[in-house]
Amino acid sequence: MARIDLTNVEVTFPPSQRNGELVTALSGLDLSIGDSEFVCLLGPSGCGKSTALNVIAGFVPATDGDATVGQQPITGPGTDRGVVFQNANVFPWLTVEKNVGFGLTLQAAKGRRGNGENNGEKVARIIQRVGLDGFEDALPLELSGGMLQRVGIARALVNDPSVLLMDEPFGALDAQTRIIMQELVLELWEQQRKTVLFVTHDIDEALLLGDRVVVMSARPGRIKEDISVDLPRPRNYAMTTTPAFMELKAHLFESLHSEAIRADRLEARA
């Protein structure tokens, strides 16, 4: 059973101030992601990758078409979906522990019960799992960029969502920290087998992480290619130099490069 289904989805935004025309971000987008599958969404800048993720998250309504999670129509955000953004978006005045537990605190205030484990235990467990134990009382200004993203990941996972949505979460990190965070995500996925949609513009990242790499066209975004990544798991960064990896990378580069050129020409004419 598909955990996520987008069928003929279109998203149109109000006229832009630059030319007064409607902006069609997505058109005829069909995407299906199965339970426990890790899918990476790859495409040129402005192709609608983040818009597609935001439709699934419930932040942006589809103008047309159908969008479901677990066969239920998406009508807004929900605790069944955790979201990790490019910027960690932490509260600067709260400690790591309180940032991670913020969503649970809101749920408790609404009178919603968990699975029997108290909130403090959940927060402590996920902080340990993402490697932040010992930093529970630290404030965000005391943390590195990689550690801040660990907070964002922990905050998304603490509610135990069935779906994890990640929108270029490592795009602002330096190369070495990015590799470390990619390997952390692989480790967490091996442990929990969440259904993951991971938006990226980095081919190596997409191939290292994903069961499938879905390539989007230039705007209006639709699916150009859906490629199965037939590389063994568990994975680590050493495999990025293997012949099988390099062959897939060359194919994806050609596919993405042509769309990037088309996107640039469309932008120049806008």
Side-chain angles (χ1 to χ4, degrees):
M1 179 188 299
R3 175 72 63 176
I4 300 170
D5 270 309
L6 302 181
T7 305
N8 200 31
V9 165
E10 178 177 305
V11 174
T12 302
F13 292 113
S16 67
Q17 292 183 347
R18 184 166 59 175
N19 57 24
E21 296 179 358
L22 289 171
V23 176
T24 302
L26 303 173
S27 179
L29 180 68
D30 294 312
L31 178 63
S32 183
I33 302 175
D35 194 26
S36 300
E37 195 171 22
F38 199 127
V39 172
C40 290
L41 201 56
L42 186 69
S45 296
C47 72
K49 301 185 299 295
S50 293
T51 300
L53 182 142
N54 285 330
V55 168
I56 298 166
F59 301 147
V60 173
T63 309
D64 199 3
D66 298 309
T68 64
V69 173
Q71 298 185 329
Q72 298 300 312
I74 298 171
T75 58
T79 56
D80 59 333
R81 285 151 284 154
V83 185
V84 182
F85 301 98
Q86 183 170 350
N87 297 315
N89 292 328
V90 297
F91 298 109
W93 58 89
L94 295 182
T95 64
V96 166
E97 183 179 48
K98 292 187 181 300
N99 263 294
V100 172
F102 185 77
L104 293 176
T105 301
L106 288 181
Q107 294 299 315
K110 295 175 181 177
R112 297 177 182 174
R113 297 180 180 273
N115 59 7
E117 185 181 23
N118 70 49
N119 287 351
E121 291 171 343
K122 290 180 182 178
V123 171
R125 176 169 49 82
I126 202 66
I127 284 176
Q128 189 277 330
R129 185 167 288 170
V130 301
L132 284 173
D133 42 321
F135 292 90
E136 292 85 350
D137 296 325
L139 290 169
L141 60 83
E142 302 173 273
L143 305 178
S144 67
M147 294 174 77
L148 286 171
Q149 282 300 57
R150 288 173 189 260
V151 174
I153 293 170
R155 188 168 57 185
L157 290 175
V158 75
N159 281 312
D160 195 25
S162 57
V163 172
L164 186 61
L165 305 170
M166 308 186 79
D167 191 2
E168 299 198 51
F170 311 139
L173 302 179
D174 66 85
Q176 290 303 314
T177 303
R178 185 170 187 149
I179 292 169
I180 291 168
M181 296 304 296
Q182 289 165 352
E183 291 182 334
L184 171 65
V185 167
L186 284 170
E187 180 183 347
L188 291 171
W189 184 81
E190 290 287 350
Q191 292 170 355
Q192 300 186 351
R193 296 289 173 145
K194 302 288 185 187
T195 300
V196 180
L197 178 65
F198 190 105
V199 168
T200 182
H201 62 270
D202 186 281
I203 295 173
D204 282 30
E205 184 168 71
L207 288 173
L208 178 65
L209 298 178
D211 295 314
R212 289 158 51 205
V213 177
V214 176
V215 181
M216 289 185 64
S217 69
R219 181 168 58 85
R222 55 175 59 87
I223 304 305
K224 178 183 180 180
E225 281 194 276
D226 191 334
I227 298 171
S228 178
V229 183
D230 189 19
L231 298 172
R233 291 188 185 273
R235 296 178 187 165
N236 56 53
Y237 204 75
M239 75 187 321
T240 61
T241 59
T242 62
F245 189 98
M246 297 303 291
E247 183 178 351
L248 283 168
K249 180 177 178 178
H251 176 84
L252 283 172
F253 178 82
E254 287 300 322
S255 183
L256 185 61
H257 184 59
S258 63
E259 291 305 318
I261 291 172
R262 195 160 74 88
D264 187 61
R265 289 172 178 168
L266 288 171
E267 182 66 20
R269 291 201 300 265

